[in-house]
Amino acid sequence: MKNPIIEVKNLTAQYGEKVILDDIDAVIYPNEVTIILGGSGCGKSTFLKNILRLNTPTSGKVSFFGKEIVTEEEFEEVLLRIGMLFQNGALLNSLNIYDNLAIPLETHTNLPTELIKKIIKVKLNLVGLKNIEYMTPAELSGGMKKRAALARSIILDPEILFCDEPSAGLDPLTSETLDKLILKLKKQLNMTIVVVTHELASIHRIADRLIFLDNKKVIFQGSLSEAKASDIKYIQDFFKVGEF
């Protein structure tokens, strides 16, 4: 059995007095696509934000690469090894695509400009985008924006990629194309990918493992086939209906 690349133990998260996640454990294994899913308001995005320290857990611990992350300095080091694809892409509309992708390289490396240009071109080609460097986000279609944002999220060659509702707002064909791209990146770049989604078609296309959240708890962790064979009513209903 592989060792987890991320391990969550006894994590509790709350907003004010409202508990969203209650003493949960979860593991994410390397070189797999793990999907976090559950009903609306179950805490999927809160779970992601607490792992990424966008929110501070009330209690519990999160380990990356076999080491519990305690200090901000330790997490700064981890951040350089992870990427994030936000639901809306989060591209800066005032900048062209080249400048959007250049920001992480200019901030975290001392690479010369010519090498930065080559890296940006390579990463855009990898996601199927060519000759769009000097276009603005407003000039791109929804699918192209999402792929440009994906290129930015892998610009520093992260070992772990987090994706929050990557197919949100996309038509089924574009969504399928994005799913195939995620699998391509997993294989070519040897990535671990964590995806928050509720879209059944995407789950069937890309999932290696699932983490189901319900009623503030993790109610299931395992493979897609194990989930579909589960006798947990909530999970059975999900695969019948397709989403909650």
Side-chain angles (χ1 to χ4, degrees), residues 4-19:
I5 196 167
I6 301 172
E7 190 167 9
V8 177
K9 288 187 176 180
N10 308 120
L11 187 142
T12 295
Q14 58 190 91
Y15 298 118
E17 296 298 315
K18 185 176 181 181
V19 175

Side-chain angles (χ1 to χ4, degrees), residues 89-107:
L91 295 170
L92 298 174
N93 291 323
S94 59
L95 301 179
N96 62 32
I97 300 304
Y98 176 91
D99 289 336
N100 267 281
L101 270 64
I103 289 172
L105 292 168
E106 292 172 348
T107 302

Side-chain angles (χ1 to χ4, degrees), residues 57-158:
T58 304
S59 61
K61 62 182 183 179
V62 179
S63 300
F64 281 87
F65 310 107
K67 180 182 178 182
E68 182 185 353
I69 304 303
V70 178
T71 68
E72 289 302 316
E73 290 77 12
E74 288 172 333
F75 195 68
E76 287 294 326
E77 294 178 11
V78 168
L79 283 175
L80 294 176
R81 301 171 68 181
I82 65 179
M84 179 71 199
L85 176 62
F86 294 94
Q87 182 174 335
N88 62 2
L91 295 170
L92 298 174
N93 291 323
S94 59
L95 301 179
N96 62 32
I97 300 304
Y98 176 91
D99 289 336
N100 267 281
L101 270 64
I103 289 172
L105 292 168
E106 292 172 348
T107 302
H108 298 294
T109 76
N110 295 311
L111 296 174
T113 300
E114 285 305 311
L115 185 52
I116 287 176
K117 287 181 180 179
K118 290 180 181 179
I119 291 171
I120 289 172
K121 186 173 183 178
V122 167
K123 292 300 166 65
L124 287 173
N125 285 343
L126 192 60
V127 300
L129 294 175
K130 294 182 179 181
N131 304 318
I132 59 99
E133 290 94 324
Y134 301 107
M135 297 174 68
T136 64
E139 295 176 288
L140 303 181
S141 68
M144 292 173 73
K145 282 182 189 176
K146 198 63 70 91
R147 282 186 283 157
L150 182 57
R152 186 186 59 184
S153 71
I154 62 170
I155 201 74
L156 294 175
D157 296 321

Side-chain angles (χ1 to χ4, degrees), residues 18-85:
K18 185 176 181 181
V19 175
I20 308 299
L21 300 170
D22 183 18
D23 194 30
I24 66 171
D25 296 336
V27 290
I28 293 167
Y29 291 99
N31 312 124
E32 294 184 348
V33 176
T34 297
I35 293 184
I36 301 168
L37 68 166
S40 179
C42 74
K44 300 186 295 294
S45 293
T46 297
F47 184 48
L48 206 61
K49 288 175 180 177
N50 278 263
I51 291 176
L52 293 171
R53 295 225 176 168
L54 297 173
N55 292 344
T56 302
T58 304
S59 61
K61 62 182 183 179
V62 179
S63 300
F64 281 87
F65 310 107
K67 180 182 178 182
E68 182 185 353
I69 304 303
V70 178
T71 68
E72 289 302 316
E73 290 77 12
E74 288 172 333
F75 195 68
E76 287 294 326
E77 294 178 11
V78 168
L79 283 175
L80 294 176
R81 301 171 68 181
I82 65 179
M84 179 71 199
L85 176 62

Side-chain angles (χ1 to χ4, degrees), residues 213-241:
L213 299 175
D214 184 43
N215 195 27
K216 307 176 186 178
K217 298 287 189 180
V218 172
I219 62 168
F220 175 87
Q221 295 184 72
S223 68
L224 176 60
S225 59
E226 289 170 340
K228 296 179 77 171
S230 169
D231 60 0
I232 300 172
K233 185 178 185 303
Y234 181 91
I235 298 175
Q236 290 177 342
D237 290 344
F238 176 86
F239 285 109
K240 287 177 184 175
V241 176

